Amino acid sequence: MPTASPFSCRLGCGACCIAPSISSPIPGMPNGKPADTRCVQLDDRNLCKLFGSDNRPDVCAAFDADPDVCGNTYQQALDNLIYLEAAT
């Protein structure tokens, strides 16, 4: 039986670094990040400056891109994450 290939982040999307709130401290955001706010660690290319660093919050490191959440475009990902944030 064939297996599906793993879904990968779209480089430069960054929706997961904007839409959800993050309650844990982030370098530059000691009180976390409110929902619908751009993380200060997201660079101009929408890439995480902390990716692969021990300073990256656990919640960020644990996020796995998924087609049901991320959709096919940045806008779908942002809309889905905003919806999920509001629903929880």
Side-chain angles (χ1 to χ4, degrees), residues 28-51:
M29 300 179 103
N31 297 318
K33 182 189 89 58
D36 217 9
T37 300
R38 185 178 180 84
C39 179
V40 299
Q41 297 300 330
L42 196 60
D43 72 13
D44 292 339
R45 298 173 299 150
N46 279 354
L47 300 174
C48 177
K49 295 185 242 178
L50 298 177
F51 193 84

Side-chain angles (χ1 to χ4, degrees), residues 15-86:
C16 60
C17 302
I18 298 169
S21 61
I22 298 174
S23 58
S24 57
I26 300 167
M29 300 179 103
N31 297 318
K33 182 189 89 58
D36 217 9
T37 300
R38 185 178 180 84
C39 179
V40 299
Q41 297 300 330
L42 196 60
D43 72 13
D44 292 339
R45 298 173 299 150
N46 279 354
L47 300 174
C48 177
K49 295 185 242 178
L50 298 177
F51 193 84
S53 165
D54 290 339
N55 291 327
R56 189 173 181 212
D58 290 341
V59 68
C60 299
F63 181 81
D64 284 325
D66 182 274
D68 291 336
V69 174
C70 300
N72 295 313
T73 66
Y74 161 77
Q75 192 60 54
Q76 285 179 344
L78 191 63
D79 292 345
N80 289 344
L81 287 164
I82 288 170
Y83 171 80
L84 291 169
E85 175 69 27

